[in-house]
Every structure is written in C-alpha cells, then in structure tokens.
Amino acid sequence: MRFDIITCLPGLLQGPFNDSILQRAKNKGLVEIYIHDLRDYAKGKHRQVDDYAYGGGAGMVLLVEPVANCINSLKLEREYDEIIYMSPDGQLLDQKLANKLSLKKNIILLAGHYKGVDERIRTNYIASEISIGDYVLSGGELAAAVVVDTVVRLIPGVLSNESSALTDSYQDDMVAPPVYTRPSEFEGLQVPDVLLSGNEKMIEEWRFEQAIERTKKRRPGLLDK
Ligand code: SAH
C-alpha cells in the first residue's frame, strides 16, 4: 500500500511515521509513505503556495496551481484508488472507513492549511473528503497522519500478532475489555483472578462479558447494530 501526502508544511509530518508500528511497517515493505511539499510545485522565486481570499476576510487560501500540479504529476506515475482531501466537513473517520481504505493500493491525502484549499480543487480533483472529528485543526497534516496510522495497522502483517487489530475497539461493534500487566497488585487493586487462571476459555468469556459491559456504558448505540 502506498500513501502520498500533499502538504505545504512537510515538517509537521516528519515525526509520526518514523517510530514504532509505522516505521516497522515501512521497513517490512508493507507500506510506502511519501510526503510532497507543495512549494516544490509552486512558481516564482518565492514559491508561493497561498494567497488572499477573493471577497476579502481573514485567512489565506491554498492556490490551485501547486496542488493541481502535484496531483497531476503523481497521477502520471500511477493510478490512484482515492484522492482524499482532509476537511472538517468531510465524511467522519471511523473503523469501518479505515477497514475500507486498508484494502486500497494507492491513496493521495491532501492536507489543507490556513482557510483551506481553493474550492476548484475540491470540484475537479477530489472524490472523497475525510474529517477526523467535528472540530477544526490548523492543518490537515495531523488528520492525514491519523488516517495513515489507523489504516496501516490493519494491513495484515503490520501488527506482530495479526489478531490484535481484530480484538480492538470497534472492529466488532464493541469497545475493548480492560487490560492489565505486571504487577498483579497495585495500590490495593488486584488483577482479576480469571486472568491469572491460565484457563483460556474462561479468559475469553470474561473478556467478552467485559467488552459488552463497557460498550453498554460507553457506546450503547453500538449494541443496537
Ligand atoms: N476554513 C475551514 C477550516 C480550515 S482548517 C472550515 O471552516 O471548514 C485548515 C485545514 O485543516 C483544512 O483545510 C483541513 O485540511 C484541515 N482540517 C481542519 N480540521 C480538520 C478535521 N477535523 N479533519 C480533517 N482535516 C481538518
């Protein structure tokens, strides 16, 4: 799987992909992540990527040409399954959408900044838009990193124990049960006996019951499904 992330602030994306699970996924060749600096596709000495909004008002708008140039040059190299604009008014990211994206091969994620991208990019180049929640970030970079993270961990082979993504919250319309590690006693709190029993069937049943209880309390709407 391959992600191409388009941004005017590539520095914001240096960290998230170079540690832990994402780094290992890259090393194993299971995912490729490329970051494209809009300035490399901008014209003029100043390599301008934004300008004032027509009609006035505060906030700059990302220029059409650098974005279009970047998308077009990527499209010349390969076919993309999805060209996605990160946007607070897009489809809300959830586990179902992450599962769907994890089956794709090539995805472009466009991160906006300032007031966003010129509407004509959305009209001519963007087929889907994703929001990571009903709040506004300063840029789409962190949102794009969230999408990459949640999708990549679903690719078979990325997590060391493949089943561990399947037992996470939302995969089966439930939230996850509580987890414990050593020591078995901490500040008067004991790890539930069943987890120390070594009886796999009982442990599985206990986890299932706990997951149901938690879901009832925290996300009751999920159980209706
Ligand atoms: N003026 C826009 C917000 C721009 S925020 C509005 O009111 O809708 C700047 C950029 O941050 C956006 O272009 C988008 O790429 C990104 N962004 C902000 N909030 C986001 C969210 N919740 N999900 C995904 N991307 C977001």
Side-chain angles (χ1 to χ4, degrees):
M1 184 169 196
R2 174 181 171 122
F3 285 97
D4 289 277
I5 307 177
I6 304 174
T7 168
C8 62
L9 288 171
L12 282 176
L13 289 166
Q14 291 314 316
F17 305 129
N18 294 330
D19 265 307
S20 181
I21 291 170
L22 284 173
Q23 176 67 288
R24 261 184 288 142
K26 287 199 295 182
N27 291 347
K28 284 193 202 165
L30 295 169
V31 67
E32 291 171 87
I33 303 167
Y34 296 92
I35 295 159
H36 305 277
D37 185 347
L38 271 181
R39 268 166 233 288
D40 294 340
Y41 298 85
K43 285 188 297 210
K45 201 173 89 196
H46 299 293
R47 301 202 295 160
Q48 189 181 348
V49 293
D50 57 355
D51 209 336
Y52 295 101
Y54 275 123
M60 307 295 275
V61 176
L62 285 183
L63 289 165
V64 277
E65 285 102 342
V67 178
N69 290 343
C70 183
I71 294 178
N72 285 332
S73 81
L74 289 171
K75 276 166 51 176
L76 281 179
E77 301 289 328
R78 67 196 64 76
E79 268 194 37
Y80 283 90
D81 304 299
E82 300 271 354
I83 302 181
I84 299 169
Y85 175 49
M86 303 311 305
S87 182
D89 60 3
Q91 179 183 357
L92 276 177
L93 178 65
D94 61 10
Q95 197 62 38
K96 200 164 148 230
L97 179 54
N99 286 335
K100 194 181 118 197
L101 293 176
S102 74
L103 303 173
K104 310 277 181 192
K105 202 158 164 271
N106 297 318
I107 296 181
I108 292 178
L109 298 174
L110 170 62
H113 224 90
Y114 319 113
K115 273 286 163 198
V117 71
D118 188 303
E119 187 65 21
R120 290 164 293 180
I121 290 293
R122 297 172 77 168
T123 308
N124 275 1
Y125 288 84
I126 302 292
S128 28
E129 305 194 327
I130 294 180
S131 163
I132 63 161
D134 287 347
Y135 45 81
V136 176
L137 304 160
S138 347
E141 290 77 12
L142 298 179
V146 167
V147 169
V148 172
D149 185 297
T150 192
V151 169
V152 168
R153 65 197 297 286
L154 296 169
I155 300 172
V158 167
L159 298 185
S160 41
N161 174 2
E162 212 188 291
S163 69
S164 65
L166 299 176
T167 56
D168 282 328
S169 292
Y170 301 113
Q171 275 307 351
D172 47 9
D173 291 324
M174 287 195 290
V175 300
V179 290
Y180 299 87
T181 184
R182 285 183 291 184
S184 62
E185 197 254 305
F186 171 72
E187 295 186 354
L189 297 174
Q190 295 283 346
V191 171
D193 283 341
V194 58
L195 296 180
L196 309 173
S197 70
N199 184 327
E200 278 181 33
K201 190 165 169 286
M202 273 168 56
I203 292 173
E204 204 180 307
E205 277 169 14
W206 180 86
R207 287 189 169 144
F208 184 73
E209 283 159 18
Q210 292 288 318
I212 300 253
E213 278 311 304
R214 285 225 148 156
T215 310
K216 269 189 207 158
K217 274 202 205 113
R218 292 168 186 234
R219 294 289 187 279
L222 286 179
L223 292 173
D224 301 339
K225 295 186 183 171

